[in-house]
Amino acid sequence: MAWTWRFEKADGSEAVPTVEPEEFTTQGDAESWVGEQWRDLRDGGVDQVRLFEDSTEIYAGPMSLHADEE
């Protein structure tokens, strides 16, 4: 199984991250990576992310990278 992030703009359209994304072997590794990279992703134009295990979305919706501004 592979864990991957989808990077989106605020309107849900796909965004191209300025940080090179990876494919992860565990959910924890994927979450740790986004926890370390979220500021760079946000500063590069990504507003929200979605985590997938293969083709299954893990969370009920996107995770905002602007949480510190709310």
Side-chain angles (χ1 to χ4, degrees):
M1 78 183 76
W3 299 84
T4 55
W5 290 101
R6 174 181 159 88
F7 306 97
E8 298 179 345
K9 297 177 184 176
D11 65 4
S13 62
E14 193 162 3
V16 177
T18 56
V19 179
E20 185 66 31
E22 299 179 30
E23 202 172 84
F24 303 93
T25 56
T26 69
Q27 182 176 354
D29 287 346
E31 291 170 341
S32 292
W33 180 84
V34 87
E36 295 168 4
Q37 303 295 331
W38 71 270
R39 286 180 185 88
D40 291 334
L41 291 165
R42 181 194 60 198
D43 294 346
V46 175
D47 294 307
Q48 59 194 27
V49 294
R50 295 176 186 265
L51 181 61
F52 289 86
E53 178 185 11
D54 296 322
S55 61
T56 303
E57 187 170 355
I58 301 305
Y59 306 119
M63 181 170 48
S64 174
L65 298 183
H66 296 279
D68 63 331
E69 299 171 5
E70 295 175 3

